[in-house]
Amino acid sequence: MQTAHDARIPLVAGNWKMHTTVTEAISLARDIAALSEAVGDAVEVMVAPPATALAAVSGVAAETGEHIRVAAQNGHWADQGAFTGEIGMPMVAELASAVIVGHSERRALFGETDENVNRKVHAAFAAGLLPIACVGETEAERDVGRADEVVSAQLDAALDGLSADEAGQLVVAYEPVWAIGTGRACDADEAGRVCALIRARIAERFGPKTGASARILYGGSVNGDNAAEYFACDDIDGALVGGASLKKETFAPIVHAAAPA
Ligand code: PGA
C-alpha cells in the first residue's frame, strides 16, 4: 500500500552557500545534472548556487534536459526598490524556480527575523517560486528543552497568511543550528520526531490533506553514511545539504539514498 510518505517526491537540495565561482558552478552543476538524470524522476534534485552563478547554472539545467532544479539561497520581500545588495523574488524567478528563505545563517549573521521570513515566503509565492523555509533551534535552546517551542514558533510565523494550497506546496527544512556544518548530525529518530511535529502543525492549521502534501526536509551534517536513516523516517521527505553538496562524490550517495528501493 502506498503511504503518504511514498506519495511525496523526495527532494535533495544542495545549498552551495558562498562557494563556487561561475566556472566551478557550471562544472559542478553538469556533474549533478548527470547524477540526477541517472536517478530519474523518482528524486527531485535541486542546487542552490550563489546568486552570481544562478544564470549560468540555469543554463546548464536547460541544456542538460532540466534534470536539476535551481534555487536561490535568498531573496528580498520587496519586488524592487532601494535595497542595495538585495535581489527581489521576481528577479530570482527569471533564473530559478525555488528559493531558500530563513536559513539559520541568514537569521544569525544577517539579522533575519520571523517576520522577514514570512514576508519572503509570501513574496516567493507571488513571484511563482517554491519557497524552502528553514527552521531550527540553537544548541542553547535545545539544552534548556525549548527546541519544539522554537521550531513551532518559527514555523507558525513562516506559515502566517498562506492559503492551504500554498502551505501544501511549501517545503520546510528542519535544520537544528548545532548540526549545521559541525559533523554532529541530529539523531534520525529525533529529526523524524521534530519533522512529524512540523507536519502535525501544518495539518492542524490547514487541514490533514495539506499536512500530508507539504514536504519536510532534514538538514545538518547530512552525508552519504547517514542520509538513508533520515529518508526512512515517515515525515522526512529529503535533505538540505551544505558541505556534502559541493562535490559530486559526496552528493551522489545522498541522492541515491533518496531513491525509492
Ligand atoms: P551542512 O549544512 O550540510 O554543511 O551541515 C546544511 C545547511 O546549512 O543547509
Side-chain angles (χ1 to χ4, degrees), residues 60-76:
V60 172
E63 143 204 313
T64 53
E66 305 289 356
H67 295 293
I68 46 170
R69 188 159 182 183
V70 183
Q73 297 173 15
N74 181 32
H76 196 68

Side-chain angles (χ1 to χ4, degrees), residues 33-125:
L35 160 69
S36 179
E37 185 174 7
V39 177
D41 294 340
V43 182
E44 197 173 312
V45 177
M46 185 184 278
V47 294
T52 44
L54 280 174
V57 170
S58 317
V60 172
E63 143 204 313
T64 53
E66 305 289 356
H67 295 293
I68 46 170
R69 188 159 182 183
V70 183
Q73 297 173 15
N74 181 32
H76 196 68
W77 58 78
D79 286 356
Q80 55 180 21
F83 301 103
T84 302
E86 292 290 323
I87 304 169
M89 297 294 182
M91 301 167 186
V92 171
E94 291 187 293
L95 304 172
S97 66
V99 60
I100 298 170
V101 298
H103 189 280
S104 66
E105 286 152 18
R106 302 263 355 140
R107 294 177 188 261
L109 305 172
F110 301 99
E112 252 173 54
T113 64
D114 283 345
E115 195 209 337
N116 296 160
V117 173
N118 178 256
R119 293 174 78 178
K120 289 178 178 210
V121 169
H122 280 278
F125 276 123

